[in-house]
Amino acid sequence: MKSRLSLAVGARRAWELGFVLLLALMLSFVTLRAEEYAVAQQRIERFFPDAERSAPEGDYRVRTLTRGRDVLGYAFQTIDVVDIPAYSGKPINLQVLLDPQGVIVDAYVLEHHEPILLIGIPEEKLHAFTARYGGIRVDQRVVVGRSSDDRAVTIDAVTGATVTVMVVNEVVMRAAHEVALSLGLVDGTVGLARKPATVREDYYEPANWSELTGNGAIRRLHLTRGAIDQAFKGTEAESVDQAAPGQVDETFIDLYVTHLDPPTIGRTLLGDNQYRYLRQALKPGEHAIAVMASGDYSFKGSGYVRGGIFDRVQLRQSGNVISFRDMDFQRLDDVYAEGMPDFSEMAVFIVRAHAAFDPGSPWTLELLVRRQTGPISGMFTSFELAYQMPEQYLERPQPTAEELAAAEEANRPLWVNVWYQKSFQIGVILAALLLLTVILFLQDTFTRRPRFLHWLRRGYLVFTVVFIGWYALGQLSVVNVLTFVHALIQDFRWELFLTDPVIFILWVFTAASILLWGRGVFCGWLCPFGALQELINEAARRLKIPQYELPFAVHERLWAIKYIVLLVLFGISLESMTMAEQAAEVEPFKTAITLKFDRQWWFVAYAVALLVINLFTRKLYCRYICPLGAALAIPSKFRLFDWLKRRKACGDPCQLCARECEIQAIHPDGHINANECHYCLDCQMTYHNDGKCPPLILQNKRAKRRKAPAGPSLIPVAQIPHSDAPDREGSQPIV
């Protein structure tokens, strides 16, 4: 009974503790969202002071920023528009502000999980990068780095975070373009500089009213009084001029609009003479729009006075609002189209050249309806009539090959563009990996030429540090391993790994080499920090700096440290990947390779301390601390081949290779520990050296003795290794 009571009390305490933790987590989440919302509001207030903000609307949750009836801009968060994984595997969320012309006013990062920015590169550099988007149109092509397209806007990358800023660029421009399209601010495809279409003046076919309305050359907007009442429902003007029950279906306005420039439309409506006069009066770049209507409501407005602006009709095209003054207005009296209805008012409005009107792009006629709510106050609502000129009346300029190539490049997936931009790095690294593959497959041939192989290996290590590490930033990390494991568990997407081609290629090669040779190929040839350590230690040995090694029994037990570090990092990642990325600073890779020692002093001191120790003990970090090496050692258990050759006498009695192995990967019994081997091939150079390998020397002497004439011969006892069994070459035991 007592044990049951204790168990119940323990369960209750555990439940209370869990509830407290859950509550704390919820509060921290609310606090995070509140801080994020506060930052977003501050950015809006900075660029649109005193603007009224609507609630998020539509699929993209866009906020409309207004002052009175004027639209100042729009605000949205990219996470509601696109979901593009960044280097961390999680999307970056930004707030983007647009003006009504489709120009980016501000882009600001609200949340990210990029490891290089969490600890490493100051976050201010990312904000300075996004600030460069101010003033860029959403339909422009923006390239990070250099571009062969002269019309593209280029922005310099953030050193050390190229992939991250390329993802930011993709997120900002794609999200902004999608939102602008949904709002009707822009038209066309990003990357293709769409040239304005022209009206075909040589195309004419007789038509009547029904044919022109049927093919979309003339568009109609029919509003009933009931539709107007519904538009003002819930506002102060709801009860103003409200229709009686029997008047709901009565026509408020029946409006038609058309573009008069095409001969088929203009000549049908105006007649040949009036159309010719209109075309002669238009200046280059100007266009004529006809508006015809009947009903109780006048699209011109009774309050219109000379010198003023028509306040009831305006055009909108790709975010550009076109208003009309009295100088842009012509009365339309005589219309000749067969079958057309009667209209109470008709007008021609001239779109001036400065509006940069494109007859081939969609445009909208906006009809504003006003209800008086007081002596000088009123409320407006807008009704839209979309117009698109039929294609047979248009002539569109064909894009050039360069424009098509630019459009294709702009619409490719992000990772494809990254691969194109890094084609030089990819080509060089693929050539280097091909050379390494040749060395590994022909290792028996190369190890018979130790002097050549030593210099070839030193040159390859310099290439690994300088090109792969410092130039191409191809330093693999345990963070990549944790990201891959979490991607398999949660949401695996290839584009997450393809966004960094150098890292992807190195990982593919490393995975293949693990199956064939073990993890030593990466650790001994392709790890920039490991190569840096090896080169520094090589220089230290040439300078006669003393070297120290631990007894093998101690050395063997210290191997476990790196596996413990790996398990701790993996456990932390299950709770928080961000915390795991911070804890992964146990790797000095970011400091020494990615950022080239350009960061806070304590990180630099840690990396330098490891390199100083390496002067006296070769690759101490790799042997005892490196969690990446531990992660690569685990699948090395499944390697398919054992390419490193050994003899029966290796280890008993010969200990030469074990003494010469500079990372102590050879056990006293002679076998090579593939989990610790860095595949430097030094032991294989000794194996094939008939002037250095004791078993091989003895074997060669025996062979010469067999070929020598019969007679007494003596072999110094000191040169005879002791063995109780034949070696792998088939020689007999030495007694």
Side-chain angles (χ1 to χ4, degrees):
M1 183 69 181
K2 185 176 181 180
S3 61
R4 290 183 180 179
L5 181 60
S6 300
L7 183 62
V9 172
R12 180 179 178 183
R13 289 178 177 175
W15 183 89
E16 291 175 347
L17 178 61
F19 177 77
V20 171
L21 291 174
L22 179 62
L23 182 61
L25 182 63
M26 292 175 63
L27 288 175
S28 64
F29 177 77
V30 171
T31 303
L32 175 63
R33 298 299 299 179
E35 291 176 355
E36 179 182 310
Y37 181 80
V39 172
Q41 295 299 335
Q42 291 169 8
R43 303 299 293 186
I44 293 175
E45 292 170 359
R46 175 178 174 180
F47 291 94
F48 296 98
D50 303 325
E52 299 176 2
R53 297 176 286 274
S54 71
E57 300 172 338
D59 295 336
Y60 300 145
R61 297 177 54 79
V62 179
R63 294 176 180 270
T64 304
L65 310 176
T66 59
R67 182 181 295 123
R69 35 178 301 224
D70 297 329
V71 175
L72 303 180
Y74 305 91
F76 65 92
Q77 294 185 20
T78 58
I79 196 68
D80 297 320
V81 185
V82 296
D83 182 14
I84 301 175
Y87 195 82
S88 64
K90 299 179 181 179
I92 297 175
N93 187 26
L94 300 94
Q95 177 178 263
V96 178
L97 305 180
L98 299 178
D99 70 8
Q101 284 69 47
V103 177
I104 298 174
V105 176
D106 181 48
Y108 190 83
V109 176
L110 299 177
E111 183 179 358
H112 73 85
H113 302 272
E114 297 300 273
I116 193 69
L117 296 168
L118 292 171
I119 298 181
I121 297 175
E123 199 171 64
E124 290 74 15
K125 290 189 176 182
L126 180 62
H127 293 311
F129 173 82
T130 58
R132 299 172 189 169
Y133 286 91
I136 296 176
R137 283 188 56 84
V138 300
D139 53 1
Q140 287 183 283
R141 181 167 171 247
V142 180
V143 177
V144 177
R146 298 180 180 179
S147 174
S148 58
D149 184 5
D150 296 335
R151 293 162 301 183
V153 179
T154 57
I155 301 179
D156 292 335
V158 176
T159 303
T162 304
V163 174
T164 296
V165 297
M166 291 185 74
V167 172
V168 169
N169 178 60
E170 182 83 358
V171 169
V172 171
M173 296 310 299
R174 186 185 295 184
H177 188 255
E178 289 292 328
V179 170
L181 278 177
S182 69
L183 297 172
L185 306 182
V186 296
D187 174 58
T189 306
V190 176
L192 180 60
R194 185 168 181 174
K195 299 176 182 177
T198 56
V199 175
R200 290 184 57 184
E201 299 186 4
D202 60 340
Y203 180 82
Y204 170 77
E205 58 180 4
N208 55 37
W209 181 266
S210 61
E211 290 172 342
L212 293 178
T213 54
N215 69 4
I218 300 175
R219 303 292 176 98
R220 181 190 186 193
L221 174 65
H222 181 252
L223 298 175
T224 64
R225 295 192 63 181
I228 303 300
D229 291 342
Q230 186 65 30
F232 284 101
K233 189 174 182 179
T235 68
E236 298 179 9
E238 178 178 359
S239 59
V240 178
D241 297 331
Q242 192 171 16
Q247 299 174 330
V248 172
D249 295 329
E250 291 183 1
T251 297
F252 180 77
I253 187 171
D254 191 12
L255 183 143
Y256 293 81
V257 67
T258 188
H259 194 145
L260 289 173
D261 290 24
T264 299
I265 302 175
R267 290 173 60 181
T268 300
L269 292 180
L270 305 180
D272 292 342
N273 292 333
Q274 192 174 188
Y275 173 75
R276 188 182 306 110
Y277 173 78
L278 176 65
R279 294 294 295 166
Q280 292 174 353
L282 293 178
K283 298 177 182 178
E286 295 183 341
H287 300 270
I289 306 297
V291 182
M292 301 159 282
S294 60
D296 297 335
Y297 191 71
S298 169
F299 64 80
K300 290 188 295 185
S302 58
Y304 171 72
V305 294
R306 186 173 182 82
I309 297 177
F310 286 86
D311 61 355
R312 294 191 179 184
V313 288
Q314 62 184 16
L315 302 188
R316 183 185 295 271
Q317 185 180 63
S318 299
N320 188 22
V321 178
I322 304 171
S323 301
F324 300 107
R325 296 181 175 272
D326 63 332
M327 299 294 294
D328 308 322
F329 166 76
Q330 293 181 15
R331 187 182 302 275
L332 182 59
D333 296 320
D334 298 325
V335 181
Y336 300 94
E338 178 184 348
M340 68 173 293
D342 294 328
F343 296 110
S344 57
E345 57 181 359
M346 298 182 293
V348 175
F349 292 100
I350 306 301
V351 179
R352 300 303 178 184
H354 64 78
F357 186 79
D358 179 8
S361 297
W363 52 272
T364 301
L365 174 75
E366 293 185 352
L367 177 70
L368 276 67
V369 178
R370 185 176 189 272
R371 279 187 173 180
Q372 197 78 15
T373 57
I376 58 173
S377 61
M379 295 196 66
F380 291 83
T381 187
S382 176
F383 298 89
E384 297 183 352
L385 174 57
Y387 188 90
Q388 172 67 65
M389 186 181 295
E391 282 297 318
Q392 63 265 32
Y393 303 149
L394 294 169
E395 182 176 0
R396 297 187 183 276
Q398 295 299 317
T400 64
E402 292 77 11
E403 291 171 339
L404 290 174
E408 180 186 359
E409 181 179 349
N411 290 283
R412 285 194 300 247
L414 169 64
W415 68 269
V416 176
N417 284 331
V418 176
W419 282 66
Y420 273 103
Q421 292 187 17
K422 294 194 175 184
S423 57
F424 171 73
Q425 298 177 14
I426 293 171
V428 173
I429 288 177
L430 287 177
L433 295 179
L434 178 61
L435 172 61
L436 180 56
T437 303
V438 172
I439 294 172
L440 296 173
F441 272 104
L442 302 179
Q443 58 183 268
D444 289 343
T445 301
F446 282 97
T447 51
R448 286 186 171 90
R449 296 168 175 79
R451 184 176 180 83
F452 172 75
L453 182 57
H454 271 304
W455 281 106
L456 177 61
R457 177 169 164 74
R458 290 182 187 121
Y460 204 99
L461 293 178
V462 171
F463 168 81
T464 298
V465 174
V466 177
F467 188 89
I468 296 181
W470 288 336
Y471 177 74
L473 304 180
Q475 173 69 68
L476 303 189
S477 167
V478 71
V479 174
N480 303 129
V481 177
L482 299 177
T483 301
F484 180 75
V485 172
H486 280 267
L488 290 177
I489 297 174
Q490 299 172 356
D491 180 21
F492 183 86
R493 288 185 285 182
W494 276 111
E495 59 266 28
L496 167 61
F497 305 98
L498 290 168
T499 50
D500 194 332
V502 173
I503 296 295
F504 180 81
I505 291 171
L506 290 174
W507 268 119
V508 171
F509 184 87
T510 300
S513 66
I514 286 175
L515 290 177
L516 296 176
W517 298 283
R519 68 108 166 180
V521 173
F522 169 77
C523 296
W525 294 80
L526 295 174
C527 177
F529 187 75
L532 179 63
Q533 291 181 94
E534 194 162 337
L535 291 171
I536 290 176
N537 184 263
E538 187 82 14
R541 290 170 183 265
R542 288 185 173 273
L543 294 174
K544 307 300 182 181
I545 295 178
Q547 301 294 303
Y548 301 94
E549 297 291 351
L550 295 172
F552 190 84
V554 178
H555 163 72
E556 185 179 25
R557 283 158 179 76
L558 293 179
W559 285 341
I561 296 176
K562 58 179 172 286
Y563 295 97
I564 295 173
V565 174
L566 175 64
L567 288 175
V568 170
L569 290 175
F570 180 72
I572 294 174
S573 73
L574 295 177
E575 173 64 25
S576 169
M577 199 52 200
T578 301
M579 292 176 58
E581 290 160 356
Q582 296 173 347
E585 285 296 325
V586 69
E587 294 180 326
F589 304 159
K590 190 184 301 180
T591 300
I593 303 300
T594 307
L595 300 178
K596 305 179 187 67
F597 298 98
D598 182 18
R599 64 186 311 196
Q600 293 91 339
W601 69 267
W602 51 89
F603 291 111
V604 175
Y606 172 64
V608 170
L610 291 175
L611 294 176
V612 170
I613 295 173
N614 176 72
L615 291 171
F616 306 96
T617 302
R618 195 179 187 97
K619 301 178 83 168
L620 177 136
Y621 170 80
C622 300
R623 287 195 268 175
Y624 306 130
I625 305 174
C626 182
L628 176 61
L632 298 181
I634 295 173
S636 293
K637 295 288 186 182
F638 303 101
R639 73 186 189 282
L640 302 177
F641 305 100
D642 192 359
W643 298 69
L644 300 179
K645 296 181 178 180
R646 308 297 288 156
R647 292 188 171 89
K648 193 68 176 178
C650 294
D652 184 16
C654 183
Q655 295 287 326
L656 180 60
C657 290
R659 289 196 303 269
E660 289 188 345
C661 181
E662 293 165 344
I663 60 167
Q664 295 178 274
I666 301 178
H667 286 249
D669 62 3
H671 87 272
I672 299 174
N673 188 339
N675 291 341
E676 302 300 323
C677 175
H678 286 192
Y679 226 86
C680 64
L681 298 177
D682 282 355
C683 62
Q684 298 304 288
M685 286 185 272
T686 301
Y687 179 92
H688 291 290
N689 192 334
D690 55 7
K692 183 177 181 181
C693 176
L696 186 58
I697 293 172
L698 182 58
Q699 178 180 320
N700 291 337
K701 286 187 176 182
R702 284 201 304 264
K704 290 179 181 179
R705 185 175 59 184
R706 293 192 193 101
K707 295 179 181 179
S713 62
L714 298 176
I715 301 175
V717 176
Q719 295 183 9
I720 303 178
H722 176 71
S723 176
D724 294 329
D727 63 18
R728 295 186 183 181
E729 302 299 323
S731 59
Q732 297 299 318
I734 304 299
V735 180

